[in-house]
Amino acid sequence: MRSKPSITTRFLPGLITLVSAVVLWEICVRLFQISPILLPSPSTVWVEFWKMPSFFLYNAGVTLVVTLAGFFLAAVFGILLAVVIVSSKTLERPVFSALVALNSVPKVALAPLFVVWMGIGPEPKIAIAVMLAIFAIVIDTVLGLRSVDPDMINLARVGRASAWQILTKVRLPCALPSIFAGLKVAISLALIGAIIGEFVGSSSGLGFAILTAQGQFDTPGLFVSLALLIAMGSLLFNLMEGIERLSIPWHTSVRSH
Amino acid sequence: MRSKPSITTRFLPGLITLVSAVVLWEICVRLFQISPILLPSPSTVWVEFWKMPSFFLYNAGVTLVVTLAGFFLAAVFGILLAVVIVSSKTLERPVFSALVALNSVPKVALAPLFVVWMGIGPEPKIAIAVMLAIFAIVIDTVLGLRSVDPDMINLARVGRASAWQILTKVRLPCALPSIFAGLKVAISLALIGAIIGEFVGSSSGLGFAILTAQGQFDTPGLFVSLALLIAMGSLLFNLMEGIERLSIPWHTSVRSH
Amino acid sequence: QGVEALSARMDFAPWGVQAAMHLAQVKGWFKDVGLDVDVQDGRGSANTLQLVNAGQVDVGQVQLGLVPQARMKSATVRSFAGFARATDLAAVVDRDSDYKTVADLKGKSIVCFAASPWAPFIDYWLAQGGLDRSTVELLLVDPAALWSTYTTRRADAILSTGPSIIPPAEAVRPSRGILASDAGVNFPSYGLIASDETIEKRGDALKALVASQQKAWAYLRDGNAGEGAEAMIQQRPTIKLTKEVLTRQIELTIETFETPATAGKPIGWQADADWNAALASMEKANAIPSGLTLSDIFTNDFIG
Amino acid sequence: MLDQVKDSYIRVSGVDKRYGGSDASLVLQDINLDIRKGEFVSILGPSGCGKSTLLKCIAGLEDVSNGSVTTRGLMVDGPPEGLGMVFQRDMLLDWRTILENVLFTVELQGKASAEMRARASAQLARFGLGGYENRRPWELSGGMRQRASICRALLTDPDILLMDEPFGALDAMTRDDLNVEVARISHETHKTIVFITHSISEAVFLSDRVVILDRHPGRIVEILDIDLPRPRQLSARETPKFGHYSSHIRQVFTKLGIFKNA
Amino acid sequence: MLDQVKDSYIRVSGVDKRYGGSDASLVLQDINLDIRKGEFVSILGPSGCGKSTLLKCIAGLEDVSNGSVTTRGLMVDGPPEGLGMVFQRDMLLDWRTILENVLFTVELQGKASAEMRARASAQLARFGLGGYENRRPWELSGGMRQRASICRALLTDPDILLMDEPFGALDAMTRDDLNVEVARISHETHKTIVFITHSISEAVFLSDRVVILDRHPGRIVEILDIDLPRPRQLSARETPKFGHYSSHIRQVFTKLGIFKNA
Ligand SMILES: Nc1ncnc2c1ncn2[C@@H]1O[C@H](COP(=O)(O)OP(=O)(O)OP(=O)(O)O)[C@@H](O)[C@H]1O
Ligand SMILES: Nc1ncnc2c1ncn2[C@@H]1O[C@H](COP(=O)(O)OP(=O)(O)OP(=O)(O)O)[C@@H](O)[C@H]1O
Ligand SMILES: Cc1ncc(C[n+]2csc(CCO)c2C)c(N)n1
Ligand SMILES: [Mg+2]
Ligand SMILES: [Mg+2]
């Protein structure tokens, strides 16, 4: 019975939150005279950004590319693995066990080994982004694929649908809402993965910018990178939500919302 | 139409995979004579563990406690936040925006701030575990809470259910399968969060053991910690799956599986 | 005669110890010796050593004291030049505090990072002052958190290197170092490493690199530290480097160049005596077992 | 006007209903209906004419686009007290056993008790579901599910009962039995009942009045008073008066040209 | 034996069915049924007796616990070719429009084409759903959804058609119309049709044979040949013979004591 919210009403509250958080932060920093080396004020961060806008934007771009590549690969392989898990009784446990094992290893610990094995190109960063993002996609897709009403499968079987058709025409569409939940979690994790990768070995990207800023005790510079990360993360997440809305207008979670 | 798999058939394939992976790895390392500083063989790792079993087990215990504490808090607050998001149109966007922003910041980058704010007790570790794990729970719980058939809500409304009753007696039970998907992702992330927390500042736990090993080129020692992490992660995940099976035997994803 | 490509990875984010590399780059001294050197920032000496060992980079500039440990763990890297031949590891404390020796830190908090070259020596070092982990508060934090922990006075001392920490601390917490060697921890500092394979096959390139570095360090030593700082700032325009800090770091680094055993020898030349002393203190600290051969650790073959 | 409101237990006045925005087509148009306390009103109409929508408007589950609905003189803007509803789909909760499903509404109202459980079990048995108390919804056939959902609505003993094709999935004999049961309940407990059905004879048999709807948009074409003595036996269906009512309704529908030229 | 198999288009022999493990109670017991090509067989029985289960066994959607099912002489162990089915629940896919839903099975079989779309549209119009092609399932009423699902089953023009209470949610008039439509289809296309219904008159009107089931466990109590001339008009329902068949079935059910002492 709710009417559809317009773009403004959708994003205004978020924006207001953001702005008030920033203002509050500025006031606190000034009031308590917090040293900029500990916590710089938003205005300091803003000024810092405009000292080298192209540097920050370039590095943000580098991180964005790694994030998207990692996310994309995680989406493709994650959904693929979920399909394998759901389709094959034989492969289910092995694949799942391997995945859980892989996911239990903190990538931060593995990252140095990755660099040792793969060098310092974009590959280890993408690999880390993929590894971090893929798990949520697999788990959510598996849930989605398994939550199909058995009679819907029966409907397709009566139409003599092939296993492939049951997958693409019944299971996957049914699983889309779950898949999107996984993708929304994954896009954030891919971003974090990219940064972790850049921490370990890279000479560009926001992860690199953060590290060098840390090395110089340049807290304002560090915060510029963090702010850009927040902006990027929010943008990517909202983008995913938009795609979700366009892709599954038929689902209760979108309809009733 | 499938019969219920016994415990053995459930875990045997996973175990077989594990064992064959380990054997393959041993063979490769021996065949290509890979130096243990690059990639130690499983037998080396095994021997390494038995040099100081109590050291490793103690640190694993420390990490386990932090992980469980973080996971528990993330579950409680994650489900709570999801409920807030679904219940309140006013709070929805602000809470969501804040959460997405928080989730976009790599916790590793915040390390210096964490140590300064919270010292190096267990608090920052638990905080990082919570921050890493909570997002998946919120996203999946929100999906679950929103996917309820509108007529089920109507049924409860006709019974003049309070908002609280609609939540606890309709929305939450309906959302359980999704919530469990979130929890399964979260338990892994809580473990990773605990390790990251220990990286940031700690003198015990597997994260600490990993760092120490890294600093001393003790790759076998590093791998003992990683192996323990894998064991812990797999155990926790399978535990969650078990709880899921017991909690939602009625759901298609469990029934048909 | 073409130029030969060579990748050289530093220890950490840019700081004074790396000045000779950047200066050689700016002055064209690499080109002069027929090299095209790619100078990379690093993520810690240990990490750089791993990368050299794995063949991902050709040369590393790291804390050489790590080499014996790595060698024990079956790494195949050796040092082929040692510049900062005296120990620079130090416990950095407030300049006007009255801490003079390890023993003075009783009951105080000390911060370090777990993967630090300091880590294996901490217990031995504490023991020299009659202390142990129960009589001091030892905080092990991420390298990134090291600095803020010290400057916000959450710790009374920071276990690091004097030349890297003291200059930037000047502005926020004026400090001085208590050298690790005062308590018998003799730990050779910065120099260049390469894998056995590189040393065997690319001797000419390494020789050329050493030559360029000797020239650069000599130039810096002769009152031109400021130019080194400028070279770094020029090479790393996006990083907020401070000339004064860098200059001071370079100067302090150069102060660690001479040991009695290397007096009069060329820059980068390493003495058996220094290494024997180093190995002895490492053995005492249980960081390595005995029986390492010096030729596995370093070579002077490329010092011209 | 006020008197009328007081007189009528459920009052639907001038109700229009559209789904979606104001550009959507009308589903219900100018529905006016006064239902007295204790009355049994059936709603008959072609598939898709808006019967379920009307029932949801009365229950306060859908907002009306125009006009108003009152129950017991109070404006409806949410489900009123003492109202029970059987939905067209059975709406059993998968995570509850059949017995727990039947107890659902009672539980919501804090009235669950050992006695209630016993009553629920008895209710189930009366509806042919004895022995299925601890089964799960998916283990039941369509008709069994529907019966369970009727049990749920009856258990709270609501004052107003809205039933949306409650017997659609039941066989003729079971349906007859339940018709008798509903007639008994209506007669004995003086519940006000609004009943949607597709069966003309069921409507005539049960009702005090039959509301006939047409579609596109859904509107009332006739309200027929059924003047048959109560209590009614199944044999009442063989009386001429019954036949007269039935064929009258049939004629109305035929005149409306239901279906063929939809 | 072999001749019989050849003779019967669908053959159910000695079928028992239990859900779950072997300890579960019998749902169907010793069902034997031979259906000839082109025959129209209705299945009548009380709610929960196992009609849907039997249909699913014939469709190859449920394994039988005992006995066997063959279609066209071939053992059924999965849905056979050229079979269409209307499920008891409408099973429309929310992510498809109504037209796309109707085209679903056709699409599976790679037969989707512009011509098929046109046929689907025409089919929908014939079932009173013209103009709803581009709506989504949740925008339709229960009866409309059911009709859409019938359209879907018919569109592939199956040789064998299994229908599980296809008209349960339809009003009397629409139901009459569709009865005529189904009778026409059966007569003209010689489809073999197995039809589950709760309406005795519907069963008699449509069928060559009516199978009467009893429950606990589900078993055949009688197979009644309906010897009425074809094609049948709705007026056939007023003939004495029709009345005879209907009241015979009613008697059988009454004798079985359906429902009251379930
Ligand atoms: N959620 C909805 N969104 C849009 N249109 C709807 C919605 N629900 C119902 N309609 C439309 O409203 C009309 C009436 O629907 P309703 O369910 O009230 O019919 P009905 O009389 O109960 O039919 P039936 O006997 O088939 O159940 C139909 O044309 C339907 O398409
Ligand atoms: N999935 C299942 N698991 C366990 N029992 C089941 C299952 N499906 C059906 N049953 C049982 O099988 C019996 C027959 O069910 P079925 O759906 O075949 O009945 P039906 O004759 O179609 O009834 P209706 O007319 O109400 O649709 C019922 O007693 C039911 O409880
Ligand atoms: C053993 C050891 N510990 C800490 C540092 C610290 N450090 C490395 S780079 C850098 C930035 C200086 O501008 C700092 C503080 C070191 N070099 N060596
Ligand atoms: Mg309806
Ligand atoms: Mg059925």
Side-chain angles (χ1 to χ4, degrees), chain A residues 38 48 52 55 115-120 198-200 202 211-212 214 216-218, chain C residues 9 13-14 40-41 43 47 50-51 54 56 144 147 152 168 237-241:
Chain A
L38 258 188
E48 187 67 26
M52 310 185 281
F55 166 76
V115 177
V116 169
W117 295 332
M118 292 194 230
I120 53 170
E198 287 169 356
F199 272 11
V200 176
S202 178
L211 263 195
T212 45
Q214 277 178 347
Q216 299 331 119
F217 319 117
D218 174 14
Chain C
R9 191 172 172 93
Q40 302 171 359
D41 300 344
R43 304 285 180 271
N47 181 252
Q50 286 269 21
L51 286 170
Q56 296 289 357
W147 176 256
T152 56
T238 56
I239 298 176
K240 227 185 300 156
L241 297 165

Side-chain angles (χ1 to χ4, degrees), chain A residues 114-132:
Chain A
F114 265 58
V115 177
V116 169
W117 295 332
M118 292 194 230
I120 53 170
E123 298 88 355
K125 281 141 238 165
I126 295 177
I128 291 172
V130 170
M131 288 203 299
L132 216 65

Side-chain angles (χ1 to χ4, degrees), chain E residues 54-125:
Chain E
L54 177 57
L55 216 62
K56 283 189 177 173
C57 290
I58 293 175
L61 294 175
E62 287 280 355
D63 298 332
V64 300
S65 309
N66 233 329
S68 67
V69 178
T70 59
T71 55
R72 310 184 191 100
L74 295 171
M75 191 67 96
V76 165
D77 59 353
E81 227 175 306
L83 182 138
M85 183 159 175
V86 180
F87 288 81
Q88 190 165 5
R89 288 182 302 144
D90 50 62
M91 289 297 142
L92 297 182
L93 310 172
D94 270 345
W95 56 92
R96 287 173 164 250
T97 61
I98 299 306
L99 185 67
E100 288 166 357
N101 262 289
V102 171
L103 286 165
F104 179 68
T105 327
V106 170
E107 231 179 86
L108 289 180
Q109 301 172 353
K111 294 189 289 195
S113 63
E115 194 225 321
M116 263 301 172
R117 288 181 83 84
R119 272 179 54 189
S121 280
Q123 187 88 271
L124 279 169

Side-chain angles (χ1 to χ4, degrees), chain E residues 8-238:
Chain E
S8 59
Y9 212 58
I10 301 172
R11 183 179 162 81
V12 181
S13 49
V15 162
D16 291 349
K17 170 71 186 172
R18 308 169 194 277
Y19 282 102
S22 57
D23 54 322
S25 66
L26 261 187
V27 167
L28 291 175
Q29 186 180 48
D30 195 28
I31 304 289
N32 290 285
L33 188 60
D34 282 294
I35 300 172
R36 288 184 307 277
K37 182 163 168 47
E39 201 178 6
F40 196 116
V41 173
S42 286
I43 299 178
L44 266 177
S47 168
C49 73
K51 302 181 293 298
S52 299
T53 304
L54 177 57
L55 216 62
K56 283 189 177 173
C57 290
I58 293 175
L61 294 175
E62 287 280 355
D63 298 332
V64 300
S65 309
N66 233 329
S68 67
V69 178
T70 59
T71 55
R72 310 184 191 100
L74 295 171
M75 191 67 96
V76 165
D77 59 353
E81 227 175 306
L83 182 138
M85 183 159 175
V86 180
F87 288 81
Q88 190 165 5
R89 288 182 302 144
D90 50 62
M91 289 297 142
L92 297 182
L93 310 172
D94 270 345
W95 56 92
R96 287 173 164 250
T97 61
I98 299 306
L99 185 67
E100 288 166 357
N101 262 289
V102 171
L103 286 165
F104 179 68
T105 327
V106 170
E107 231 179 86
L108 289 180
Q109 301 172 353
K111 294 189 289 195
S113 63
E115 194 225 321
M116 263 301 172
R117 288 181 83 84
R119 272 179 54 189
S121 280
Q123 187 88 271
L124 279 169
R126 219 172 327 136
F127 278 75
L129 291 171
Y132 287 91
E133 285 92 343
N134 295 318
R135 295 295 194 91
R136 298 280 178 160
W138 69 85
E139 297 178 304
L140 265 55
S141 77
M144 292 160 85
R145 293 175 64 114
Q146 205 173 32
R147 282 178 275 152
S149 79
I150 300 170
C151 288
R152 177 174 56 195
L154 288 176
L155 195 66
T156 52
D157 195 21
D159 187 31
I160 298 174
L161 187 56
L162 310 180
M163 301 175 92
D164 195 347
E165 294 184 46
F167 305 143
L170 297 183
D171 56 291
M173 309 301 287
T174 307
R175 194 163 182 153
D176 283 352
D177 279 338
L178 291 185
N179 274 341
V180 173
E181 174 74 8
V182 166
R184 186 190 64 76
I185 290 172
S186 159
H187 188 69
E188 288 177 6
T189 65
H190 301 289
K191 288 187 197 311
T192 310
I193 301 180
V194 185
F195 189 94
I196 295 178
T197 178
H198 282 318
S199 159
I200 294 175
S201 71
E202 189 168 84
V204 175
F205 176 74
L206 290 170
S207 312
D208 297 313
R209 281 193 293 165
V210 175
V211 178
I212 301 174
L213 295 187
D214 191 12
R215 66 182 153 194
H216 301 306
R219 59 192 184 279
I220 296 178
V221 289
E222 189 174 328
I223 301 184
L224 183 69
D225 282 288
I226 306 293
D227 196 12
L228 292 172
R230 287 196 186 264
R232 297 173 191 166
Q233 306 300 325
L234 279 178
S235 56
R237 295 189 300 194
E238 266 91 65

